Amino acid sequence: MTDTTQLPTAPTDRESLPVELVDTAGNTVGSCAVSEAHRAPGAPHRAFSVLVFDNSGRLLLQQRALGKTRFPARWSNTCCGHPAPGQAVAEAAGIRLGEEMGLRVRLTEVGVYRYRAEDPRTGYVEHEWDHVLTGMLDGAAPHPDPAEVAAYRWMTPDDLRRQMQEQPHEFSPWFAGVLEVATARPLTP
């Protein structure tokens, strides 16, 4: 008799997944592993940042888990990640939003934020062509993955901007830029 019971699968090593390398115009020029792209001096690559708002205009923030290799324990946008080479950005962002925050939200790409940031604590580098996507939450509650998210909270963009000015090291270095891209035009449900 053969045992057909499925064994649990090991969690995905996100650092070994491939990312899409880009040139200064955002054109694909190759690929490498996430960990390689983030080693100093950093290789420019495609990424996404998701910002989810509620009906009263508040933004869902996450505090990055302590185990993150880049900017751990910092407050940041709702979720972020990297599409696989050739994968549609909105598709990848929707999947990652479900994995990190346990949410399904229709997302709209609203722009791109390009940045480079070195994490002085870990030595890793973010050098990203960051697609910014927004969505509206219809009242569902987040169910974050504790391996990815230490905590979450809701804030208005204005309160968030004030807090970012007062305590900039509490936030991920890309967050202010993606917030400005996301709020440059009115949100659509």
Side-chain angles (χ1 to χ4, degrees), residues 60-66 73-78 100-101 142 144-154:
L60 178 60
L61 284 66
Q62 70 154 275
Q63 184 182 32
R64 295 169 60 81
L66 294 175
R74 300 241 191 140
W75 285 95
S76 197
N77 46 284
T78 311
E100 280 193 23
M101 298 300 288
D145 176 353
E148 300 286 342
V149 180
Y152 71 89
R153 66 182 177 191
W154 292 92

Side-chain angles (χ1 to χ4, degrees), residues 48-49 51 108-113 130-134 177-178 181-182:
F48 57 80
S49 288
L51 295 94
T108 302
E109 186 170 343
V110 296
V112 172
Y113 179 66
D130 196 8
H131 297 259
V132 179
L133 298 99
T134 61
V178 299
V181 172

Side-chain angles (χ1 to χ4, degrees), residues 3 10 17 21 23 26 45 94 99 167:
D3 182 15
L17 295 175
L21 301 174
D23 64 16
H45 60 279
E99 292 169 349
Q167 301 168 325

Side-chain angles (χ1 to χ4, degrees), residues 27-50:
N27 299 308
T28 302
V29 296
S31 66
C32 70
V34 168
S35 61
E36 185 180 336
H38 291 94
R39 267 190 227 116
H45 60 279
R46 194 170 313 285
F48 57 80
S49 288
V50 175

